[in-house]
Amino acid sequence: MITEVLSPVGNMEMLYAAVRAGADAVYLGAKEFNARRNANNFDLSQLKEAIDYCHIRSVKVYLTLNVLIKDEEMDKALSLAFEAYRFGIDGIIIADLGLSALLKEKLPNLPLHASTQMTVCHEDSLPILKKLGFTRVVAAREMSKKELIQLCNKARELDMEVEVFVHGALCMCMSGQCLMSALIGSRSGNRGLCAGPCRLPFDNKSDNEYALSLKDLSLLDHIDELKEMGIASLKIEGRMKRPEYVAAVTAAARSMVDTGKIDEKLKDCVKSVFSRSGFTDGYFTDKTGKDMFGMRTKDDVISVSDALPFLHEIIRRERQSIPLSISAIIKENLPIKIILDDGTHKAEVSGEIPEKAVRVALTEEGVISSLSKLGSTPYFAEKVSVDLDNNLSVRTSVLNELRRKACAELDKKRIFIRNDGILPKATPIDFIRNYPTPEIWIKLSSLSQLPNRLDGVSKIILPLEDEFDLNLLPKNTPIAVDISGAGFFGEKLSEKLKKAKEQGFSAVFVNNIAHIGAALSSGMEVFAGHRLNIFSNFSMLYAKNLNFSGAVISPELTEKALSDINPYIKKICFAYGKLPLMLTKNCPVCVPDCKGCKKDRYLTDRKGVKFPVKCRTGYSEIFADRPVFIADKIEDFEANAFLLYFTDETREETEKIIKTYVNGEKADSPFTRGLYYRGVE
């Protein structure tokens, strides 16, 4: 397998930098529907120009359509995918389950890549994604070397590819699982507008006042290992950085792939052009902790100037990477003919009839010299053959012009468009307004929170990882288990679910694509937790087609958008609780070493607001400082069930809040309406 170097592109200058530094492929976004909406990005004409530029140079192009899509946006997103398909796009990176299902149906020949926003962190994700039509997955940055090997082995079985980030910014939160920017400022990371609040001061009562800011990732020194395990694509982060950054890191990755080493000068440039107090490989080497944290300092900013001249030289020069066989036929009384052959395409041009030489005759060496001057093109002359009659004269300018025309013709032949398929349209949604009386479901973090009275409660949800004395639970109330967003997978998960069913649990909530297979095989009802990002009627319909019994709708939707989602299966509204803002593998408070402590911890931001942190199955969850509360607004929401999520509430507080929702009362303590009345952009 050939391992590609995949570079980030936010504008045409970055595109030139990436290609000239040695990228095998680039990824870029259109003006809408991508996870870096604040980059310059590309309109449709620029997208076509970028794809053509790359295809002439044998560079692949992937379009990022990697955000959650609203119902009213789906036709526009499909139209964008179709235009990119026609232009010859080599793949589209997708995060939305509904969009991916539609694209598989409407454009079956379009290669789909599962975005890192899908939180692919275990091999059990792959069979589900294969059925959805994905040919490649972007692995979560948090995966260790051992986990990546297992992912690659499974991908090989399914004829899929694995793409891995090898350099660039690290989010504290697992991609696709962050609500912090959305809740704080309505700028959703899942919609491409993250404001980066994690880079601001957060005090964890240790020596780190930036407890949510990680150093940039760098696995450049591990590229040989990644190639050996079968990684198909080495991805560089940075669509909002400068062209010099793209050139430096692309050139370094190119050198590692080709030679297994990086020149010291280039290494220094990579360090200088952008870092946050250095780099980290902590997730890959499975050595998390305080050494992974870092901030961009004044020294980091100053160092970039030293690297610029060297990098500008890389960007300035066209990279000649395409070998040509060139033929010249120069015969008496016949037009001059030049043929360029790249092994797949041929370009042939004809010129004037050569004259008889008066003083100096044209030589074979002179023809070869003129036709080999390809420095301003992506081509180089691997072989030149000349069929030349004696005693003829041709001006050098004529040969040069024919060479340029032949290159232009070859450029055209290397560009392609697709003519199959028709513009896809999303299936119209017939809204259903027939709801029975909504139920109240409660999700507990501990059985100690279980109230003495459960009047009005129709389902109890408990964490899968804990052991429970089910004799303490009421006999007539269904009980379900909730799988954490990460940490339980494979045989261990199947065994836990089997035991849960034997104990009397009747349902399971899944929060990662990798949970779906085991959950559906458990014999229990399966519900999508909020971490699966059910964001539209189309993703809700996909959950139904998977045989789910219900789904918690994304808390990033407004109450109107939530109400407009059809109850194809049970529609569950996150109605109470401190929203989980982040899911992190590197614990921000239990440094230097987190072993899943049960202590209540907090992070404090620069305004003095405290955010609870809880450890679960080897991962940490950071929660909002106050709960979502809509008991007095319940009539605004159309849902089959209202989920009340209790994190640090006491038994007495839990009982009181349940009563408040049963009676539709107002809150008597600080709360938030979440995003239900302001939404996200």
Side-chain angles (χ1 to χ4, degrees):
M1 176 186 289
I2 298 174
T3 302
E4 73 178 12
V5 175
L6 175 57
S7 298
V9 168
N11 54 47
M12 288 301 294
E13 289 73 24
M14 294 172 72
L15 180 73
Y16 301 146
V19 173
R20 290 172 182 175
D24 298 300
V26 300
Y27 64 103
L28 48 78
K31 292 294 185 181
E32 296 179 286
F33 308 129
N34 78 87
R36 292 292 183 271
R37 283 163 63 189
N38 287 327
N40 289 340
N41 295 313
F42 295 76
D43 62 25
L44 285 180
S45 64
Q46 292 168 332
L47 179 61
K48 177 68 165 64
E49 180 185 353
I51 293 172
D52 289 349
Y53 176 87
C54 287
H55 283 174
I56 287 169
R57 292 156 178 80
S58 293
V59 173
K60 293 183 177 180
V61 185
Y62 308 130
L63 177 69
T64 57
L65 219 166
N66 55 344
V67 295
L68 301 181
I69 308 294
K70 297 177 181 178
D71 278 315
E72 62 269 23
E73 299 171 334
M74 195 60 76
D75 274 333
K76 198 170 184 180
L78 286 172
S79 177
L80 172 58
F82 178 68
E83 291 298 331
Y85 176 74
R86 285 182 60 248
F87 294 160
I89 202 76
D90 297 285
I92 295 192
I93 305 168
I94 302 291
D96 187 282
L97 288 170
L99 176 62
S100 59
L102 282 169
L103 286 175
K104 182 194 176 189
E105 174 191 350
K106 308 286 187 180
L107 292 172
N109 295 323
L110 173 63
L112 300 181
H113 298 180
S115 169
T116 189
Q117 292 291 116
M118 282 190 160
T119 324
V120 178
C121 57
H122 191 272
E123 62 191 271
D124 286 353
S125 301
L126 299 186
I128 297 293
L129 293 170
K130 176 79 172 181
K131 289 178 182 177
L132 256 176
F134 287 98
T135 59
R136 177 185 288 189
V137 297
V138 185
R141 293 167 173 90
E142 292 78 10
M143 295 186 75
S144 67
K145 179 180 177 180
K146 179 181 178 181
E147 291 166 337
L148 284 171
I149 289 172
Q150 293 168 342
L151 187 72
C152 287
N153 290 342
K154 188 67 175 180
R156 199 174 294 112
E157 289 178 22
L158 297 171
D159 193 26
M160 298 176 75
E161 294 180 338
V162 176
E163 179 178 304
V164 168
F165 278 96
V166 295
H167 197 91
L170 273 180
C171 296
M172 183 67 183
C173 182
M174 298 187 76
S175 296
Q177 303 303 324
C178 186
L179 298 178
M180 181 171 281
S181 180
L183 190 69
I184 290 175
S186 294
R187 294 179 59 184
S188 170
N190 291 327
R191 295 271 296 160
L193 288 174
C194 179
C198 51
R199 299 298 181 187
L200 297 173
F202 280 87
D203 185 6
N204 64 0
K205 300 303 180 186
S206 70
D207 58 352
N208 183 12
E209 64 174 316
Y210 290 92
L212 296 180
S213 181
L214 296 175
K215 294 176 181 176
D216 276 20
L217 164 75
S218 187
L219 299 183
L220 295 176
D221 289 338
H222 297 283
I223 282 179
D224 281 347
E225 299 166 70
L226 295 168
K227 287 172 60 181
E228 185 177 348
M229 68 176 70
I231 297 298
S233 182
L234 306 171
K235 188 171 195 172
I236 300 163
E237 183 276 340
R239 281 191 288 143
M240 293 181 66
K241 294 190 173 79
R242 57 198 296 173
E244 293 86 356
Y245 164 89
V246 175
V249 186
T250 301
R254 174 83 276 144
S255 180
M256 276 299 298
V257 169
D258 293 346
T259 69
K261 59 185 179 181
I262 305 172
D263 178 83
E264 286 301 319
K265 186 172 184 179
L266 186 54
K267 274 189 177 182
D268 290 340
C269 284
V270 171
K271 293 175 184 176
S272 298
V273 76
F274 194 95
S275 77
R276 290 184 171 91
S277 305
F279 303 110
T280 179
D281 61 1
Y283 288 137
F284 183 78
T285 57
D286 208 14
K287 295 177 181 177
T288 56
K290 65 180 181 180
D291 288 342
M292 286 187 67
F293 292 85
M295 273 297 297
R296 188 113 167 106
T297 67
K298 184 178 180 180
D299 289 341
D300 294 328
V301 175
I302 292 173
S303 67
V304 68
S305 60
D306 296 334
L308 294 182
F310 178 75
L311 298 174
H312 288 160
E313 191 64 21
I314 293 175
I315 296 171
R316 185 178 65 83
R317 295 180 178 179
E318 180 79 61
R319 184 169 185 262
Q320 295 177 282
S321 58
I322 301 165
L324 295 182
S325 291
I326 303 176
S327 300
I329 302 173
I330 306 174
K331 311 290 285 183
E332 186 174 355
N333 299 323
L334 292 175
I336 301 167
K337 187 179 292 184
I338 305 296
I339 303 167
L340 307 185
D341 187 344
D342 67 4
T344 303
H345 311 91
K346 285 186 179 182
E348 181 177 314
V349 295
S350 297
E352 62 187 42
I353 295 173
E355 300 175 349
K356 282 282 187 179
V358 176
R359 290 165 51 183
V360 180
L362 183 66
T363 65
E364 181 177 331
E365 290 77 12
V367 175
I368 292 173
S369 175
S370 290
L371 298 185
S372 298
K373 293 177 180 178
L374 297 165
S376 60
T377 76
Y379 310 115
F380 68 92
E382 185 176 56
K383 177 183 177 183
V384 182
S385 60
V386 180
D387 185 0
L388 174 65
D389 281 354
N390 294 325
N391 203 32
L392 295 178
S393 175
V394 176
R395 295 188 307 277
T396 301
S397 61
V398 170
L399 291 176
N400 290 343
E401 182 60 24
L402 286 173
R403 183 195 69 235
R404 284 190 287 267
K405 284 184 178 180
C407 287
E409 285 300 311
L410 187 59
D411 285 352
K412 292 177 184 177
K413 295 196 173 187
R414 293 176 63 82
I415 296 168
F416 69 92
I417 62 171
R418 298 186 179 100
N419 294 311
D420 60 311
I422 58 173
L423 178 64
K425 292 285 186 180
T427 305
I429 300 297
D430 296 323
F431 291 112
I432 302 169
R433 298 295 190 194
N434 182 21
Y435 287 88
T437 302
E439 298 177 347
I440 291 177
W441 297 0
I442 63 170
K443 179 179 173 181
L444 306 177
S445 298
S446 168
L447 205 55
S448 64
Q449 296 172 307
L450 184 70
N452 294 319
R453 296 177 60 85
L454 286 167
D455 299 340
V457 174
S458 301
K459 192 184 293 290
I460 300 169
I461 307 162
L462 298 169
L464 175 65
E465 64 270 19
D466 290 346
E467 300 290 337
F468 300 103
D469 182 356
L470 298 190
N471 293 320
L472 300 175
L473 294 170
K475 301 298 182 186
N476 58 347
T477 304
I479 53 174
V481 286
D482 174 75
I483 311 172
S484 67
F488 267 129
F489 300 108
E491 292 183 8
K492 184 178 181 181
L493 174 59
S494 296
E495 291 169 3
K496 291 287 286 186
L497 291 177
K498 179 181 178 182
K499 183 177 180 181
K501 188 175 187 297
E502 291 171 350
Q503 287 180 300
F505 287 90
S506 61
V508 53
F509 281 74
V510 301
N511 284 288
N512 190 290
I513 291 173
H515 299 154
I516 294 174
L520 290 173
S521 301
S522 69
M524 296 185 281
E525 282 191 293
V526 180
F527 293 87
H530 84 277
R531 293 195 181 281
L532 283 190
N533 290 321
I534 304 301
F535 199 74
S536 68
N537 274 287
F538 300 97
S539 49
M540 186 70 155
L541 188 57
Y542 174 70
K544 175 183 181 293
N545 292 337
L546 274 177
N547 295 318
F548 281 27
S549 297
V552 180
I553 307 303
S554 168
E556 291 193 86
L557 291 176
T558 62
E559 53 82 22
K560 182 183 183 305
L562 182 147
S563 296
D564 283 344
I565 291 181
N566 281 329
Y568 299 112
I569 50 181
K570 286 187 177 179
K571 182 168 62 171
I572 307 158
C573 169
F574 188 105
Y576 173 85
K578 293 177 179 176
L579 276 173
L581 301 182
M582 284 190 176
L583 178 68
T584 76
K585 186 174 183 180
N586 202 347
C587 183
V589 291
C590 302
V591 292
D593 190 25
C594 178
K595 297 297 183 183
C597 69
K598 298 295 182 180
K599 297 178 182 178
D600 291 335
R601 304 289 184 91
Y602 295 90
L603 289 175
T604 306
D605 73 5
R606 68 195 193 284
K607 296 180 179 179
V609 177
K610 289 187 174 183
F611 296 82
V613 180
K614 292 184 177 294
C615 297
R616 186 179 177 194
T617 64
Y619 287 74
S620 299
E621 288 184 288
I622 302 168
F623 292 87
D625 63 305
R626 60 187 63 192
V628 170
F629 184 91
I630 58 170
D632 56 333
K633 296 283 187 178
I634 270 311
E635 292 184 358
D636 291 352
F637 296 78
E638 294 182 359
N640 301 106
F642 292 100
L643 178 65
L644 313 184
Y645 182 16
F646 300 104
T647 51
D648 52 9
E649 291 84 355
T650 65
R651 183 192 305 269
E652 292 74 23
E653 288 170 335
T654 299
E655 186 169 323
K656 180 181 177 182
I657 291 162
I658 293 171
K659 181 174 176 291
T660 301
Y661 273 78
V662 170
N663 297 330
E665 299 171 354
K666 292 183 179 294
D668 62 0
S669 58
F671 67 91
T672 175
R673 300 292 190 192
L675 295 159
Y676 288 134
Y677 293 94
R678 52 190 172 103
V680 293
E681 295 182 43

mmCIF file of all heavy atoms in Angstrom, residues 24-44:
data_model
loop_
_atom_site.group_PDB
_atom_site.id
_atom_site.type_symbol
_atom_site.label_atom_id
_atom_site.label_comp_id
_atom_site.label_asym_id
_atom_site.label_seq_id
_atom_site.Cartn_x
_atom_site.Cartn_y
_atom_site.Cartn_z
ATOM 1 N N ASP A 24 0.587 14.351 -1.739
ATOM 2 C CA ASP A 24 -0.079 13.417 -2.653
ATOM 3 C C ASP A 24 -1.559 13.742 -2.765
ATOM 4 O O ASP A 24 -2.209 13.355 -3.740
ATOM 5 C CB ASP A 24 0.053 11.981 -2.152
ATOM 6 C CG ASP A 24 1.493 11.528 -2.072
ATOM 7 O OD1 ASP A 24 2.166 11.532 -3.113
ATOM 8 O OD2 ASP A 24 1.945 11.180 -0.963
ATOM 9 N N ALA A 25 -2.095 14.413 -1.750
ATOM 10 C CA ALA A 25 -3.517 14.754 -1.723
ATOM 11 C C ALA A 25 -3.693 15.976 -0.840
ATOM 12 O O ALA A 25 -2.854 16.256 0.034
ATOM 13 C CB ALA A 25 -4.347 13.584 -1.193
ATOM 14 N N VAL A 26 -4.773 16.709 -1.066
ATOM 15 C CA VAL A 26 -5.114 17.843 -0.212
ATOM 16 C C VAL A 26 -6.577 17.722 0.189
ATOM 17 O O VAL A 26 -7.372 17.071 -0.493
ATOM 18 C CB VAL A 26 -4.884 19.196 -0.921
ATOM 19 C CG1 VAL A 26 -3.428 19.358 -1.316
ATOM 20 C CG2 VAL A 26 -5.800 19.373 -2.130
ATOM 21 N N TYR A 27 -6.921 18.363 1.301
ATOM 22 C CA TYR A 27 -8.337 18.457 1.672
ATOM 23 C C TYR A 27 -8.677 19.919 1.883
ATOM 24 O O TYR A 27 -7.877 20.710 2.388
ATOM 25 C CB TYR A 27 -8.656 17.604 2.901
ATOM 26 C CG TYR A 27 -7.985 18.001 4.190
ATOM 27 C CD1 TYR A 27 -8.682 18.680 5.189
ATOM 28 C CD2 TYR A 27 -6.642 17.679 4.442
ATOM 29 C CE1 TYR A 27 -8.071 19.031 6.391
ATOM 30 C CE2 TYR A 27 -6.025 18.030 5.628
ATOM 31 C CZ TYR A 27 -6.752 18.698 6.602
ATOM 32 O OH TYR A 27 -6.139 19.053 7.787
ATOM 33 N N LEU A 28 -9.878 20.272 1.460
ATOM 34 C CA LEU A 28 -10.294 21.668 1.472
ATOM 35 C C LEU A 28 -11.803 21.744 1.657
ATOM 36 O O LEU A 28 -12.516 20.757 1.525
ATOM 37 C CB LEU A 28 -9.857 22.363 0.169
ATOM 38 C CG LEU A 28 -10.164 21.662 -1.158
ATOM 39 C CD1 LEU A 28 -11.611 21.818 -1.562
ATOM 40 C CD2 LEU A 28 -9.254 22.204 -2.258
ATOM 41 N N GLY A 29 -12.269 22.953 1.974
ATOM 42 C CA GLY A 29 -13.689 23.163 2.196
ATOM 43 C C GLY A 29 -14.276 24.151 1.214
ATOM 44 O O GLY A 29 -13.579 25.036 0.702
ATOM 45 N N ALA A 30 -15.572 24.013 0.938
ATOM 46 C CA ALA A 30 -16.307 25.019 0.190
ATOM 47 C C ALA A 30 -16.705 26.130 1.156
ATOM 48 O O ALA A 30 -16.342 26.112 2.334
ATOM 49 C CB ALA A 30 -17.519 24.391 -0.484
ATOM 50 N N LYS A 31 -17.470 27.080 0.660
ATOM 51 C CA LYS A 31 -17.834 28.217 1.496
ATOM 52 C C LYS A 31 -18.769 27.822 2.642
ATOM 53 O O LYS A 31 -18.873 28.533 3.636
ATOM 54 C CB LYS A 31 -18.503 29.305 0.647
ATOM 55 C CG LYS A 31 -17.560 29.984 -0.352
ATOM 56 C CD LYS A 31 -16.471 30.780 0.353
ATOM 57 C CE LYS A 31 -15.614 31.557 -0.630
ATOM 58 N NZ LYS A 31 -14.527 32.314 0.036
ATOM 59 N N GLU A 32 -19.445 26.688 2.509
ATOM 60 C CA GLU A 32 -20.371 26.245 3.548
ATOM 61 C C GLU A 32 -20.101 24.787 3.900
ATOM 62 O O GLU A 32 -19.422 24.062 3.171
ATOM 63 C CB GLU A 32 -21.823 26.382 3.069
ATOM 64 C CG GLU A 32 -22.259 27.809 2.799
ATOM 65 C CD GLU A 32 -23.687 27.870 2.314
ATOM 66 O OE1 GLU A 32 -23.916 27.500 1.151
ATOM 67 O OE2 GLU A 32 -24.569 28.288 3.081
ATOM 68 N N PHE A 33 -20.656 24.377 5.039
ATOM 69 C CA PHE A 33 -20.712 22.972 5.436
ATOM 70 C C PHE A 33 -19.348 22.336 5.655
ATOM 71 O O PHE A 33 -19.123 21.176 5.319
ATOM 72 C CB PHE A 33 -21.489 22.138 4.409
ATOM 73 C CG PHE A 33 -22.849 22.679 4.069
ATOM 74 C CD1 PHE A 33 -23.228 22.873 2.757
ATOM 75 C CD2 PHE A 33 -23.749 22.998 5.069
ATOM 76 C CE1 PHE A 33 -24.476 23.368 2.433
ATOM 77 C CE2 PHE A 33 -25.005 23.499 4.761
ATOM 78 C CZ PHE A 33 -25.373 23.687 3.445
ATOM 79 N N ASN A 34 -18.409 23.073 6.241
ATOM 80 C CA ASN A 34 -17.152 22.432 6.578
ATOM 81 C C ASN A 34 -16.691 22.892 7.950
ATOM 82 O O ASN A 34 -17.100 23.944 8.443
ATOM 83 C CB ASN A 34 -16.091 22.697 5.510
ATOM 84 C CG ASN A 34 -15.460 24.061 5.591
ATOM 85 O OD1 ASN A 34 -14.480 24.258 6.321
ATOM 86 N ND2 ASN A 34 -16.010 25.041 4.871
ATOM 87 N N ALA A 35 -15.839 22.083 8.577
ATOM 88 C CA ALA A 35 -15.475 22.291 9.979
ATOM 89 C C ALA A 35 -14.497 23.435 10.200
ATOM 90 O O ALA A 35 -14.078 23.668 11.337
ATOM 91 C CB ALA A 35 -14.896 20.992 10.562
ATOM 92 N N ARG A 36 -14.129 24.142 9.137
ATOM 93 C CA ARG A 36 -13.304 25.351 9.269
ATOM 94 C C ARG A 36 -13.959 26.466 8.458
ATOM 95 O O ARG A 36 -13.413 26.972 7.494
ATOM 96 C CB ARG A 36 -11.870 25.092 8.784
ATOM 97 C CG ARG A 36 -11.074 24.147 9.663
ATOM 98 C CD ARG A 36 -10.761 24.748 11.036
ATOM 99 N NE ARG A 36 -9.943 23.858 11.842
ATOM 100 C CZ ARG A 36 -10.423 22.932 12.657
ATOM 101 N NH1 ARG A 36 -11.735 22.769 12.762
ATOM 102 N NH2 ARG A 36 -9.613 22.167 13.361
ATOM 103 N N ARG A 37 -15.149 26.858 8.880
ATOM 104 C CA ARG A 37 -15.900 27.849 8.114
ATOM 105 C C ARG A 37 -15.254 29.235 8.171
ATOM 106 O O ARG A 37 -15.581 30.111 7.364
ATOM 107 C CB ARG A 37 -17.346 27.913 8.632
ATOM 108 C CG ARG A 37 -18.194 26.747 8.141
ATOM 109 C CD ARG A 37 -19.460 26.563 8.933
ATOM 110 N NE ARG A 37 -20.351 27.705 8.836
ATOM 111 C CZ ARG A 37 -21.441 27.846 9.596
ATOM 112 N NH1 ARG A 37 -21.740 26.921 10.503
ATOM 113 N NH2 ARG A 37 -22.207 28.903 9.454
ATOM 114 N N ASN A 38 -14.329 29.449 9.095
ATOM 115 C CA ASN A 38 -13.651 30.734 9.182
ATOM 116 C C ASN A 38 -12.404 30.821 8.298
ATOM 117 O O ASN A 38 -11.762 31.864 8.238
ATOM 118 C CB ASN A 38 -13.274 31.038 10.636
ATOM 119 C CG ASN A 38 -14.494 31.405 11.465
ATOM 120 O OD1 ASN A 38 -15.433 32.010 10.957
ATOM 121 N ND2 ASN A 38 -14.506 31.024 12.733
ATOM 122 N N ALA A 39 -12.059 29.718 7.638
ATOM 123 C CA ALA A 39 -11.002 29.793 6.626
ATOM 124 C C ALA A 39 -11.569 30.488 5.388
ATOM 125 O O ALA A 39 -12.782 30.648 5.254
ATOM 126 C CB ALA A 39 -10.504 28.390 6.283
ATOM 127 N N ASN A 40 -10.697 30.894 4.460
ATOM 128 C CA ASN A 40 -11.187 31.537 3.230
ATOM 129 C C ASN A 40 -12.068 30.590 2.432
ATOM 130 O O ASN A 40 -13.117 30.963 1.928
ATOM 131 C CB ASN A 40 -10.015 32.003 2.365
ATOM 132 C CG ASN A 40 -9.298 33.192 2.965
ATOM 133 O OD1 ASN A 40 -9.851 33.894 3.803
ATOM 134 N ND2 ASN A 40 -8.072 33.430 2.540
ATOM 135 N N ASN A 41 -11.611 29.335 2.298
ATOM 136 C CA ASN A 41 -12.355 28.295 1.599
ATOM 137 C C ASN A 41 -12.571 28.638 0.127
ATOM 138 O O ASN A 41 -12.031 29.605 -0.385
ATOM 139 C CB ASN A 41 -13.661 27.978 2.336
ATOM 140 C CG ASN A 41 -13.399 27.376 3.711
ATOM 141 O OD1 ASN A 41 -12.587 26.469 3.847
ATOM 142 N ND2 ASN A 41 -14.063 27.898 4.740
ATOM 143 N N PHE A 42 -13.388 27.827 -0.566
ATOM 144 C CA PHE A 42 -13.473 27.888 -2.024
ATOM 145 C C PHE A 42 -14.924 27.978 -2.484
ATOM 146 O O PHE A 42 -15.768 27.187 -2.045
ATOM 147 C CB PHE A 42 -12.830 26.628 -2.629
ATOM 148 C CG PHE A 42 -11.357 26.512 -2.365
ATOM 149 C CD1 PHE A 42 -10.875 26.116 -1.116
ATOM 150 C CD2 PHE A 42 -10.442 26.810 -3.352
ATOM 151 C CE1 PHE A 42 -9.514 26.011 -0.866
ATOM 152 C CE2 PHE A 42 -9.069 26.713 -3.121
ATOM 153 C CZ PHE A 42 -8.609 26.320 -1.881
ATOM 154 N N ASP A 43 -15.203 28.936 -3.384
ATOM 155 C CA ASP A 43 -16.513 28.908 -4.028
ATOM 156 C C ASP A 43 -16.455 27.864 -5.142
ATOM 157 O O ASP A 43 -15.410 27.235 -5.380
ATOM 158 C CB ASP A 43 -16.935 30.287 -4.533
ATOM 159 C CG ASP A 43 -15.991 30.859 -5.590
ATOM 160 O OD1 ASP A 43 -15.301 30.077 -6.285
ATOM 161 O OD2 ASP A 43 -15.933 32.099 -5.715
ATOM 162 N N LEU A 44 -17.565 27.664 -5.870
ATOM 163 C CA LEU A 44 -17.612 26.562 -6.835
ATOM 164 C C LEU A 44 -16.591 26.723 -7.957
ATOM 165 O O LEU A 44 -15.941 25.749 -8.365
ATOM 166 C CB LEU A 44 -19.017 26.430 -7.418
ATOM 167 C CG LEU A 44 -20.062 25.793 -6.494
ATOM 168 C CD1 LEU A 44 -21.412 25.725 -7.184
ATOM 169 C CD2 LEU A 44 -19.630 24.399 -6.043
#
